[in-house]
Amino acid sequence: MALVTPVQISTNSDRFQQLKIFDESKAGVKGLLDSGITHVPPIFLRPPEDLAVDAPLSGDTHFTVPVIELAGEHAAVVAGVRRAAETVGLFQVVNHGVAAKVVEEMVAAARGFHEAAQEVKRVYYTREKEKKVKYGSNFDLYRSKFASWRDTLFCAMAPPPLHPPDLPLLCSAQIYRDITMEYSRQVQALGSLLFALLSEALGLKSDYLESMDCAKGHSILMHYYPPCPQPHLTLGTNRHSDPGFLTILLQDHIGGLQVLYQNEWIDVPPIPGALVVNIGDMLQLLSNGQFKSVEHRVVASHKGPRVSVACFFTLDNYPSARMYGPIKELLSEDNPPVYRDTSLQDFNAHYYSKGLDGNSALKHFMLQQ
Ligand code: OGA
Ligand code: NI
């Protein structure tokens, strides 16, 4: 032991120094790549025990992620949403009402930000929680077992409504701001529609979830995954479940998103024009476990850059005293509450106190059985 301990300490402090250098560069993974690296730096390496859990894939799951046509017959749409939310917790939607042009322009604008000059981006680089617009790499950099191959621009859109001038000033500033605001409006409308369908899928009145403020706020995260020289050694995003009520994700054509279903990582293939929807931890809690907040991740790739834009329905930066627990109408003697009540602030504080790694945050809110 005497031999092992000093080595571990020196390795850890060395890692900490490397994390700090990376953080203080304010240049993200894109900056590293632009500096000409040809190997993945140590801070991004998945530890052997993490790589090992990927190994035994049986490959016999022929499961494919459901695709739901939202303009279809109402009862069939509700049934489809219910099945998907109860089983895999993640599905794609088409004919969702978000204009194809807005989707396309949103991806281009997100890419535009990440490919802007470092001087433009570094102004927004911060780890301060309260900031509404934050650029950074790995919000959990100092807490995770390894860093992910990804940079992010985070924008808390509402409430209170974000003012367009808070968004970054790019060469095509007005266009960038207009697109982000328009995407936010359209994705908010889709969120309301999905909360109505999910309410009905739980056997509740269609305005139930919205009346609990599930659609009151959202944040938009513009992710950028630079091409990776050694993709098998790291990940684009480590396995996690999402903290909020619901996430609507727009991914470009590159691919790499995977969902954990029956212990296997299943690809979520890009479908032109489709959006990915997944249940978040808070909706699993509200539904008393009926809906699944599923683990997902993004693999790194030689291909890229990959751009995705996630919309989290939750209240970041907005104080709400409302308490959330399993919905009373769903409970019975046969279905006793599994989770205790929590405020969004307490849930988020717990979620963000740890590095991304599975879906353990919800466990903390489970009642003793
Ligand atoms: C997320 C997420 C996946 C992606 O933002 O929580 O899982 O494809 N993103 O970027
Ligand atoms: Ni996610």
Side-chain angles (χ1 to χ4, degrees):
M1 288 308 280
L3 274 176
V4 172
T5 312
V7 173
Q8 280 178 345
I9 289 169
S10 81
T11 310
N12 286 343
S13 72
D14 193 40
R15 174 177 169 80
F16 180 72
Q17 284 311 318
Q18 290 175 35
L19 290 172
K20 261 186 83 163
I21 292 168
F22 171 66
D23 198 17
E24 286 169 4
S25 78
K26 303 188 177 185
V29 178
K30 170 93 169 62
L32 271 183
L33 202 69
D34 290 347
S35 75
I37 58 151
T38 52
H39 291 81
V40 169
I43 57 168
F44 294 93
L45 298 178
R46 295 175 71 185
E49 64 276 16
D50 191 78
L51 282 165
V53 293
D54 269 356
L57 289 187
S58 71
D60 0 304
T61 310
H62 298 296
F63 177 77
T64 53
V65 171
V67 179
I68 301 177
E69 153 73 72
L70 283 186
E73 193 263 317
H74 186 71
V77 174
V78 173
V81 165
R82 177 178 177 164
R83 206 175 314 118
E86 287 180 348
T87 53
V88 60
L90 183 146
F91 49 99
Q92 307 218 47
V93 291
V94 292
N95 272 323
H96 43 61
V98 181
K101 184 163 175 284
V102 175
V103 165
E104 206 176 290
E105 289 176 347
M106 184 70 256
V107 171
R111 183 170 178 161
F113 171 80
H114 286 284
E115 293 182 354
Q118 274 188 23
E119 308 83 78
V120 175
K121 292 192 288 181
R122 64 190 294 127
V123 177
Y124 297 93
Y125 194 97
T126 180
R127 294 191 181 277
E128 277 175 57
K129 201 181 153 295
E130 303 71 35
K131 284 274 174 6
K132 286 188 186 174
V133 174
K134 296 185 270 202
Y135 158 60
S137 187
N138 288 262
F139 75 87
D140 58 349
L141 188 67
Y142 295 102
R143 300 186 294 279
S144 61
K145 284 189 239 153
F146 62 97
S148 291
W149 200 254
R150 172 189 87 246
D151 299 329
T152 300
L153 177 69
F154 167 96
C155 309
M157 302 304 294
L162 184 82
H163 298 301
D166 290 339
L167 288 168
L169 194 65
L170 303 183
C171 324
S172 49
Q174 204 46 48
I175 303 173
Y176 177 77
R177 289 172 175 171
D178 289 351
I179 289 165
T180 306
M181 298 310 285
E182 185 56 28
Y183 183 74
S184 170
R185 267 189 292 277
Q186 296 203 13
V187 91
Q188 162 81 52
L190 173 58
S192 292
L193 170 65
L194 289 165
F195 281 118
L197 294 169
L198 289 160
S199 299
E200 287 188 57
L202 287 170
L204 303 165
K205 292 221 328 249
S206 61
D207 64 352
Y208 197 102
L209 291 171
E210 194 145 7
S211 74
M212 296 188 83
D213 292 347
C214 294
K216 187 181 169 105
H218 66 274
S219 295
I220 289 186
L221 289 82
M222 303 181 196
H223 300 303
Y224 187 84
Y225 301 84
C228 182
Q230 295 170 298
H232 49 290
L233 298 182
T234 186
L235 283 173
T237 301
N238 197 4
R239 61 193 292 170
H240 68 284
S241 59
D242 292 351
F245 298 106
L246 193 72
T247 302
I248 299 177
L249 179 88
L250 160 56
Q251 62 168 336
D252 72 5
H253 60 286
I254 299 284
L257 177 64
Q258 295 183 328
V259 59
L260 190 63
Y261 184 65
Q262 296 182 346
N263 237 4
E264 288 205 38
W265 289 106
I266 309 287
D267 289 329
V268 183
I271 300 176
L275 293 168
V276 178
V277 177
N278 65 278
I279 305 295
D281 287 350
M282 286 301 295
L283 194 49
Q284 176 165 332
L285 182 140
L286 283 181
S287 69
N288 204 35
Q290 187 174 335
F291 289 168
K292 303 288 180 294
S293 176
V294 72
E295 282 188 46
H296 50 285
R297 69 178 187 180
V298 180
V299 293
S301 172
H302 284 295
K303 282 191 289 177
R306 171 179 186 269
V307 173
S308 69
V309 180
C311 175
F312 285 4
F313 285 87
T314 183
L315 299 172
D316 282 306
N317 310 30
Y318 181 82
S320 162
R322 193 184 262 273
M323 295 298 284
Y324 291 93
I327 292 170
K328 299 283 177 292
E329 286 85 334
L330 304 178
L331 302 177
S332 65
E333 219 170 290
D334 296 336
N335 185 20
V338 179
Y339 301 103
R340 61 184 166 87
D341 290 12
T342 175
S343 66
L344 273 178
Q345 282 177 84
D346 283 353
F347 186 84
N348 287 341
H350 182 74
Y351 182 97
Y352 289 109
S353 68
K354 301 184 298 153
L356 287 188
D357 191 13
N359 61 356
S360 51
L362 262 178
K363 291 201 185 90
H364 182 76
F365 295 87
M366 279 184 98
L367 290 166
Q368 298 301 328
Q369 295 298 301

